């Protein structure tokens, strides 16, 4: 199985530990992933700003970079959603179609492709789970409160398989954190307010460690946590599943 | 001509932190009532699919159903009028009122008449028009537009309503009890109902096979107005049609549950024929709808049944208020309807969203709202309505991100700059909107790429 | 010159997509019990009262609404005669209307009130209080079944009424008795 790791641009620059944890976690699960050095970005920041046309060269570059792999694994559901949903703007060559179906979010890759449903190890902390909306509603990684009161999802299950980990029950289980890409600066007031409300839902309900599958939401929430000096640690789920200790 | 952006109005709304919390929580409460009602109906998701398919079918044969409806309504003794736009609509209403020599008009809630700005038009022609829905009456007295599809005065607190009623209805100063305020409005409006000469209503559903119009209210104001006044004028957009009476089984099960979490509205009234000796008129209005029908990516917005669920669930709407959208229909649905009307004026609305998709998931007729928001963004950028800095920034990023070397170097520069520059400079809130509410990430010494290259080859 | 009507129809024809199918609407079954109807009606502010016998109607109404002075009903000899010609100022004083309804809907507590049962179109909303009289065998589970009970259409005017008039337009606080009836009782025999 030939697996490539795609590390989103902001993770590469600001959260290298998340890329490292992803690589190591995959290795523990028997997958040696390669990191093609020519990779850049999935193009989502441009497309969500209305500049899909300017993003097309980035899409093509992404396809060229990853076309020869069986799977492309990404520690970010949002990028995966973008590749799967919005690369429809490219001519649908076999290469494009292939990359659109072989690009996987890390958690989905672990649970669906590797069929791993439980993780060894312990993490004896109260953990608050924040799924990105693109992961949750776009890739259907978890039940949605719009549809059912039953809270379930792959990452939820993986995390609770760790010894001692207790998930926080939030007042609003799956409300958006307000990151939203360029939204976080173009609508800075609302974005900040949404992030504030999310962070305080976690605080109120006892979250010690805030985690999720998308570093972009977590970057935004971490920025708020640090600004307000809230007693919450922020870690990507790959770090916890890879055996992080506090 | 320049317009205020959604962001600037939203920022102003947010200055009052506590009031924003209150607005958010009040609407979240409605969303929770909706959830409870939805969970209790096992076939709810199936009903959404059915409603969507019925509406899609109707739109695909809209000319047929419009003609069928008209023929049935005429046979029922209803007078049918057609209006291409707001001006024609308003002129038709005024003509009907004048032919009766009437001056006293009672109106129940109708977003279409809001869209057409009917009230100021009638008032300027000497007609006394009274909104009779409680929320609508409150904002009419305050001379404000509605801030929500079904809860028009949701931006107001009971103290605000108390002040307004004290000023206009003579209630005791400082009265804030909703029960007593509602009773005062009941007494005040009862006199208006009894004196009404023409009753205006909107239309929730128009049934092609029977020629009936259906109006849903909780207060009973539509029925009271219509059945007391000698003339009823119902204004409907062309998209209100459904083919069969039986289709109402689907829509009445969805509408109130999605809107407020009630199992059904208190009154679901079917108006088919005028009472003996009375008049009933239906005005069928286009006002941009056939144009939207011609846009394949956006025509699904015409399926909307105006329940407001997308507003109650929208994390942006809840924290920015309905007036921040500056359009008759606020919130997510308004943000996909408004660019059809005036692309430049409403160019910031499709960006007033994180594209979280919750609106799409609560929509009872399955409009792909967040997908349409994304598509409007592309059209707005192509039409050159993006702020210049954003446009050129995106073009620059496009070239940068298609080139691995340039990408690598610029990333290192940014990270190093962030590490070396003082916090006061990197977190300057005028230059860096990120830093208004948040810290920037702490820049690591090494990027992932650099770390990876240092690892021994396997 | 073509009319607005013709231009709108032509624009619709030109812009509408290829025809998609109209789905049949299934009957989803459901609970049509009086218990369910009673429970739901109570949750929306209405009340169900069982009549001991059909003949007990007038006495029960008298017992439930001792203060009602002006009562209108086609079902017993009431204090006020109402028909479609009754003037507005007379209607305005009605305290209580007691009207027969055709059937009830268990899922939402609504009842079907056709024009023929109203005496005057305004009576059900202008009256201060409202009592409906319903045969307990005439209950359906859902709105699908409700509309299936109207094979000849809804008539000139007809309404589903679910509980008393209400509003939550002031801060989402529920207030019973907006413009229509302040209270609603369904008398079941």
């Amino acid at each position: 199985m030939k697996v490539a790791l795609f590390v989103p641009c902001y993770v590469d620059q600001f959260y290298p530990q998340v890329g490292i944890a992803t690589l190591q976690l995959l290795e523990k699960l028997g997958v040696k992933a390669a990191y093609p050095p020519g990779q850049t970005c999935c193009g989502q920041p441009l497309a969500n700003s209305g500049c899909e046309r300017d993003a097309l060269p980035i899409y093509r570059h992404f396809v060229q970079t990853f076309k020869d792999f069986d799977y492309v694994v990404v520690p970010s559901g949002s990028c995966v959603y973008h590749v799967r949903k919005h690369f429809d703007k490219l001519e649908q060559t076999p290469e494009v179609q292939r990359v659109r179906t072989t690009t996987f979010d890390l958690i989905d890759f672990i649970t669906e492709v590797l069929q791993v449903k439980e993780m060894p190890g312990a993490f004896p902390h109260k953990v608050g789970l924040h799924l990105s909306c693109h992961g949750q509603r776009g890739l259907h990684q978890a039940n949605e409160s719009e549809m059912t009161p039953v809270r379930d999802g792959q990452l939820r299950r993986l995390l609770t398989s760790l010894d001692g980990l207790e998930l926080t029950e939030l007042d609003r289980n799956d409300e958006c954190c307000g990151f939203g890409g360029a939204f976080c600066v173009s609508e800075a007031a609302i974005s900040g307010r949404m992030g504030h409300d999310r962070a305080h839902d976690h605080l109120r309900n006892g979250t010690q460690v805030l985690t999720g599958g998308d570093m972009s939401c977590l970057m935004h929430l971490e920025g708020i946590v640090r600004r307000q000096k809230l007693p919450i640690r922020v870690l990507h789920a790959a770090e916890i599943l890879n055996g992080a200790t506090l | 001509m320049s317009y205020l952006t959604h962001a600037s109005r939203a920022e102003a709304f947010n200055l009052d932190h506590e009031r924003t919390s209150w607005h958010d929580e009040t609407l979240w409460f409605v969303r929770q009532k909706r959830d409870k009602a939805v969970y209790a109906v096992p076939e709810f998701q199936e009903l959404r699919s059915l409603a969507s398919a019925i509406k899609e079918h109707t739109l695909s044969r809209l000319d047929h159903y419009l003609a069928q409806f008209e023929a049935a309504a005429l046979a029922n003794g209803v007078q049918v009028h057609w209006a291409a736009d707001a001006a024609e609509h308003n002129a038709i209403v005024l003509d009907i009122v004048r032919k009766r020599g009437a001056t006293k008009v009672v109106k129940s809630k109708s977003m279409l008449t809001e869209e057409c700005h009917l009230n100021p038009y009638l008032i300027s022609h000497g007609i006394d028009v009274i909104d009779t829905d409680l929320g609508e009456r409150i904002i009419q007295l305050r001379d404000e537009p509605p801030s929500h599809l079904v809860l028009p005065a949701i931006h107001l607190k009971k103290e605000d309503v108390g002040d307004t009623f004290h000023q206009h209805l003579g209630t005791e100063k400082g009265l804030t009890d909703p029960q007593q305020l509602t009773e005062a409005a009941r007494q005040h409006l009862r006199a208006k109902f009894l004196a009404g000469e023409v009753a205006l209503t909107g239309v929730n559903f128009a049934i092609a096979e029977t020629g009936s119009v259906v109006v849903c209210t909780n207060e009973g104001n539509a029925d009271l107005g219509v059945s007391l006044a000698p003339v009823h004028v119902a204004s409907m957009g062309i998209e209100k049609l459904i083919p069969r009476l039986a289709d109402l089984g689907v829509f009445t099960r969805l509408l109130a549950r999605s809107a407020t979490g009630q199992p059904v509205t208190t009154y679901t009234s079917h108006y088919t024929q005028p009472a003996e000796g009375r008049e009933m008129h239906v005005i069928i209005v286009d006002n941009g709808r056939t144009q939207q029908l011609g846009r394949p990516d956006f025509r699904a917005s015409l399926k909307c049944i105006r329940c407001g669920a997308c507003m109650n669930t929208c994390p942006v709407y809840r924290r920015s208020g309905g007036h921040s959208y500056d359009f008759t229909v606020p919130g997510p649905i308004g943000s996909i309807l408004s660019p059809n009307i005036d692309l430049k004026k409403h160019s910031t609305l499709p960006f007033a969203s994180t594209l979280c998709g919750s609106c799409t998931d609560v929509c009872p007729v399955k409009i792909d709202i967040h997908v349409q928001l994304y598509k409007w963004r592309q059209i707005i950028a192509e039409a050159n309505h993006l702020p210049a800095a954003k446009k050129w920034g995106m073009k620059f990023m496009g070239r940068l991100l298609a080139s691995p070397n340039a990408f690598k170097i610029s990333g290192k520069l940014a990270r190093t700059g962030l590490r070396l520059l003082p916090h006061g400079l990197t977190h300057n809130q005028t230059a860096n909107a990120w830093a208004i509410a948040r810290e920037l990430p702490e820049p690591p010494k090494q990027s992932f790429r650099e770390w990876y290259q240092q690892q021994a080859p396997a | 010159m073509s009319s607005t009507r013709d231009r709108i129809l032509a624009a619709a024809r030109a812009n509408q997509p290829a025809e998609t199918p109209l789905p049949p609407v299934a009957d989803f079954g459901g609970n049509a019990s009086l218990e369910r109807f009673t429970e739901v009606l109570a949750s929306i502010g209405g009340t169900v009262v069982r009549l001991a016998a059909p003949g007990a109607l007038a006495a029960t109404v008298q017992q439930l609404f001792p203060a009602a002075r002006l009562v209108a009903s086609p079902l017993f000899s009431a204090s006020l005669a109402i028909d479609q010609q009754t003037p507005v100022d007379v209607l305005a004083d009605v305290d209580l209307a007691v009207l027969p309804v055709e059937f009830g809907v268990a899922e939402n507590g609504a009842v079907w009130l056709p024009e023929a049962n109203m005496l005057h179109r305004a009576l059900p909303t202008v009256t201060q209080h409202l009592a409906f009289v319903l045969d307990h065998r005439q209950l359906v589970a859902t709105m699908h079944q409700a509309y299936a009970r109207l094979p000849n259409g809804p008539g000139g005017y007809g309404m589903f009424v679910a509980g008393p008039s209400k509003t939550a337009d002031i801060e989402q606080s529920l207030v019973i008795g907006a413009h229509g009836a302040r209270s609603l009782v369904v008398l079941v025999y």
Side-chain angles (χ1 to χ4, degrees):
Chain A
M1 189 160 62
K2 220 176 140 193
V3 176
L5 176 66
F6 171 66
V7 177
C9 33
Y10 63 95
V11 172
D12 175 41
Q13 293 298 327
F14 295 121
Y15 298 98
Q17 72 275 19
V18 173
I20 296 168
T22 303
L23 206 64
Q24 291 175 344
L25 176 61
L26 287 170
E27 211 165 314
K28 284 180 190 167
L29 297 171
V31 175
K32 183 95 180 106
Y35 176 77
Q39 62 182 268
T40 58
C41 173
C42 68
Q44 179 175 203
L46 284 81
N48 281 0
S49 299
C51 302
E52 206 170 39
R53 187 201 291 260
D54 296 317
L56 292 177
I58 307 174
Y59 295 179
R60 290 192 198 99
H61 179 74
F62 188 98
V63 172
Q64 279 308 307
T65 308
F66 293 107
K67 66 180 168 35
D68 295 326
F69 290 90
D70 296 324
Y71 293 102
V72 188
V73 178
V74 191
S76 163
S78 188
C79 307
V80 174
Y81 175 75
H82 194 73
V83 169
R84 289 182 165 234
K85 170 131 183 105
H86 291 300
F87 279 25
D88 63 341
K89 281 289 168 293
L90 294 174
E91 189 195 337
Q92 295 302 294
T93 62
E95 282 174 358
V96 171
Q97 287 179 4
R98 182 181 160 74
V99 168
R100 285 179 70 192
T101 51
T102 55
T103 301
F104 272 84
D105 170 67
L106 172 67
I107 305 304
D108 289 339
F109 181 76
I110 291 173
T111 57
E112 286 173 30
V113 178
L114 301 182
Q115 287 291 314
V116 171
K117 308 285 184 185
E118 288 183 1
M119 294 295 291
F123 195 73
H125 305 286
K126 189 139 184 207
V127 172
L129 179 55
H130 181 83
L131 285 183
S132 73
C133 297
H134 282 163
Q136 162 133 341
R137 299 191 185 84
L139 298 174
H140 306 293
Q141 289 176 329
N143 285 357
E144 297 158 36
S145 63
E146 291 88 351
M147 310 283 178
T148 167
V150 180
R151 294 179 182 179
D152 193 14
Q154 300 291 15
L155 182 52
R156 210 178 165 85
R157 290 184 182 199
L158 275 184
L159 286 172
T160 47
S161 74
L162 293 172
D163 286 342
L165 187 149
E166 188 198 342
L167 282 180
T168 311
E169 285 304 323
L170 297 165
D171 296 342
R172 302 184 188 181
N173 182 52
D174 47 20
E175 189 173 44
C176 177
C177 70
F179 171 65
F183 180 87
C184 76
V185 286
S186 68
E187 289 266 7
I190 301 290
S191 173
R193 182 60 210 247
M194 286 167 67
H196 169 94
D197 291 349
R198 267 320 41 220
H200 284 264
D201 194 346
H202 281 280
L203 189 68
R204 199 163 51 240
N205 290 291
T207 293
Q208 296 167 319
V209 177
L210 177 55
T211 193
D214 241 303
M215 208 57 224
S216 51
C217 312
L218 296 179
M219 173 169 69
H220 161 70
L221 290 169
E222 188 199 31
I224 285 163
V225 163
R226 282 178 44 225
R227 167 64 57 89
Q228 300 188 11
K229 300 188 167 54
L230 306 178
I232 294 177
R233 277 285 302 276
V234 179
L235 292 174
H236 190 279
E239 297 177 89
I240 296 178
L241 296 172
N242 188 43
T245 50
L246 291 190
Chain B
M1 186 169 173
S2 72
Y3 299 99
L4 275 179
T5 63
H6 177 271
S8 62
R9 287 184 296 257
E11 192 183 344
F13 187 86
N14 254 265
L15 289 176
D16 189 338
H17 187 93
E18 290 312 312
R19 196 170 174 121
T20 303
S21 300
W22 167 79
H23 191 265
D24 168 58
E25 280 157 17
T26 304
L27 287 153
W28 181 256
F29 172 62
V30 185
R31 156 78 206 266
Q32 286 178 304
K33 288 197 290 183
R34 172 260 174 213
D35 288 350
K36 201 168 161 229
V38 166
Y39 300 159
V41 179
E43 61 267 26
F44 197 84
Q45 300 307 325
E46 217 173 316
L47 292 174
R48 288 176 72 218
S49 298
L50 273 173
S52 172
I54 293 167
K55 280 284 185 182
E56 266 166 30
H57 165 81
T58 313
L59 290 173
S60 78
R61 295 200 68 199
L62 192 56
D63 64 330
H64 164 76
Y65 286 119
L66 282 168
Q68 189 189 8
F69 172 82
E70 179 194 38
L74 290 172
N76 291 332
V78 175
Q79 300 181 48
V80 179
H81 312 260
W82 300 74
D85 53 26
E88 280 190 25
H89 168 265
N90 294 350
I92 291 167
V93 175
L94 181 64
D95 189 50
I96 295 168
V97 173
R98 282 198 167 151
K99 272 194 182 135
R100 292 293 300 205
T103 55
K104 295 191 178 72
V105 172
V106 286
K107 183 163 149 280
S108 80
K109 204 160 150 310
S110 151
M111 291 313 291
L112 176 60
T113 59
E114 292 285 345
E115 173 187 323
C116 293
H117 303 293
L118 176 66
N119 281 11
Y121 175 84
L122 289 180
I123 290 164
S124 75
H125 287 84
I127 309 296
D128 184 20
V129 53
I130 302 291
D131 275 309
T132 58
D133 171 84
L134 175 59
E136 291 278 339
R137 185 62 182 148
I138 293 167
I139 59 171
Q140 186 183 32
L141 291 172
R142 296 173 64 93
D143 198 21
E144 287 176 356
S147 64
H148 188 286
L149 274 177
V150 297
L151 316 165
I154 196 67
H155 58 291
L156 298 172
K157 294 191 140 187
K158 55 185 189 238
E159 290 79 13
D160 303 323
V161 178
D163 289 345
T164 303
F165 280 13
H166 171 65
Q167 193 187 333
H168 294 277
L169 308 186
T171 54
E172 191 188 323
K173 193 170 171 61
L175 181 68
T176 58
D177 174 48
Q179 179 90 42
Q180 290 175 292
L181 290 170
T182 302
E183 181 61 29
R186 178 183 171 106
Q187 299 303 337
H188 157 71
L189 286 167
R190 201 168 170 87
K192 306 289 181 186
F193 282 122
L194 297 173
E197 295 169 304
V198 175
L200 308 183
T201 70
V203 171
N204 289 94
F205 306 99
I207 306 157
E209 70 177 1
T210 65
S212 315
V213 297
V214 177
V215 179
C216 304
T217 74
N218 281 324
E219 297 182 6
N221 56 318
D223 294 290
L224 200 47
V226 169
S227 54
L228 289 175
V231 180
H232 174 198
V233 183
S235 299
M236 59 175 268
I238 56 172
E239 82 284 15
K240 294 294 174 192
L241 279 166
I242 54 174
R244 309 163 294 202
L245 184 66
D247 297 325
L248 278 176
V250 176
F251 289 100
T252 54
R253 297 190 77 195
L254 289 167
L255 178 62
R257 286 185 173 95
S258 298
T260 59
Q262 294 170 260
V264 72
T265 49
T266 303
Y267 303 92
T268 305
S269 305
H270 308 63
Y271 301 95
T272 310
Q273 294 169 334
E276 205 189 315
R278 300 192 171 201
E279 286 175 31
M280 176 173 164
H281 301 258
V282 174
I283 310 177
I284 301 172
V285 184
D286 183 344
N287 207 32
R289 287 165 177 74
T290 54
Q291 176 177 273
Q292 187 86 322
L293 185 65
R295 301 181 191 267
D297 284 343
F298 304 110
R299 63 167 62 105
S301 61
L302 296 171
K303 294 190 291 182
C304 178
I305 58 172
R306 303 291 193 264
C307 71
C310 61
M311 296 167 196
N312 305 334
T313 202
C314 179
V316 177
Y317 172 89
R318 277 188 266 110
R319 293 173 181 83
S320 64
H323 292 156
S324 68
Y325 294 82
D326 194 24
F327 185 66
T328 310
V329 179
I333 182 69
S335 298
I336 62 172
L337 291 172
S338 58
N340 177 56
I341 306 297
D342 186 339
L343 188 69
K344 188 171 166 59
K345 180 178 178 190
H346 303 297
S347 67
T348 62
L349 295 188
F351 294 90
S353 163
T354 60
L355 305 181
C356 79
S358 186
C359 47
T360 299
D361 285 346
V362 297
C363 178
V365 290
K366 296 184 104 169
I367 301 171
D368 54 345
I369 302 176
H370 74 296
V371 176
Q372 295 194 31
L373 288 169
Y374 176 89
K375 288 178 174 171
W376 274 121
R377 292 180 182 190
Q378 312 307 326
I379 289 174
I380 286 159
E382 295 283 326
N384 243 336
H385 295 322
L386 283 190
K390 193 172 190 173
K391 184 175 99 184
W392 293 107
M394 288 301 155
K395 285 200 179 301
F396 173 73
M397 269 178 72
R399 281 201 289 276
L400 182 76
L401 293 173
S403 152
N405 279 329
F407 172 66
K408 205 163 62 190
I409 293 163
S410 64
K412 194 172 170 61
L413 279 175
R415 188 158 36 84
T416 314
L418 206 51
R419 281 181 57 205
L420 301 179
L421 293 171
H423 184 274
L425 194 58
T426 57
H427 286 69
N428 179 303
Q429 298 188 2
T430 317
N432 182 0
W434 173 274
I436 296 168
R438 340 167 177 81
E439 291 296 295
L440 287 160
E442 278 170 340
K445 290 203 176 83
Q446 238 180 0
S447 68
F448 174 80
R449 178 186 302 271
E450 288 162 356
W451 172 85
Y452 186 81
Q453 278 160 358
Q454 283 176 3
Q455 305 307 300
Chain C
M1 207 180 81
S2 70
S3 66
T4 294
R5 172 191 184 276
D6 295 343
R7 273 181 280 122
I8 291 174
L9 288 174
R13 202 172 301 122
N15 291 346
Q16 63 201 20
E19 185 174 340
T20 59
L22 176 63
V25 175
D27 179 332
F28 289 89
N31 179 351
S33 69
L34 181 60
E35 289 69 32
R36 180 72 187 143
F37 178 82
T38 305
E39 179 193 354
V40 176
L41 186 60
S43 76
I44 55 175
T47 318
V48 168
V49 172
R50 286 300 293 257
L51 279 178
L57 179 61
T60 308
V61 167
Q62 173 62 35
Q63 197 184 345
L64 288 172
F65 300 93
R69 268 183 328 109
L70 296 176
V71 179
S73 178
L75 297 172
F76 55 92
S77 76
S79 53
L80 196 62
I82 300 281
D83 61 23
Q84 286 294 351
Q85 270 64 53
T86 303
V88 170
D89 56 340
V90 176
L91 291 167
D93 291 334
V94 177
D95 293 313
L96 172 68
V98 184
L99 304 174
V101 290
E102 298 300 304
F103 58 89
V105 187
E107 70 161 332
N108 56 25
V111 296
W112 175 246
L113 178 66
E115 180 172 15
N117 299 14
M118 294 179 190
L119 296 178
H120 185 287
R121 283 189 179 201
L123 186 58
T125 41
V126 81
T127 180
Q128 296 290 336
H129 299 274
L130 191 51
F132 287 139
V133 181
L134 172 68
D135 179 344
H136 77 279
R137 291 161 302 184
Q138 303 299 324
L139 281 170
V140 298
T142 65
M143 291 304 284
H144 309 297
Q145 295 161 20
Y147 282 106
R149 293 277 305 254
L150 306 174
N152 301 316
Y157 173 54
M159 68 211 302
F160 285 102
V161 183
S165 159
K166 60 179 78 71
T167 183
D169 273 350
I170 301 174
E171 281 200 18
Q172 275 298 292
S173 300
L174 180 68
V175 176
I176 302 285
H179 302 301
R182 296 174 187 272
S183 74
L184 182 136
V185 174
V186 177
L187 301 162
V188 176
Y189 64 94

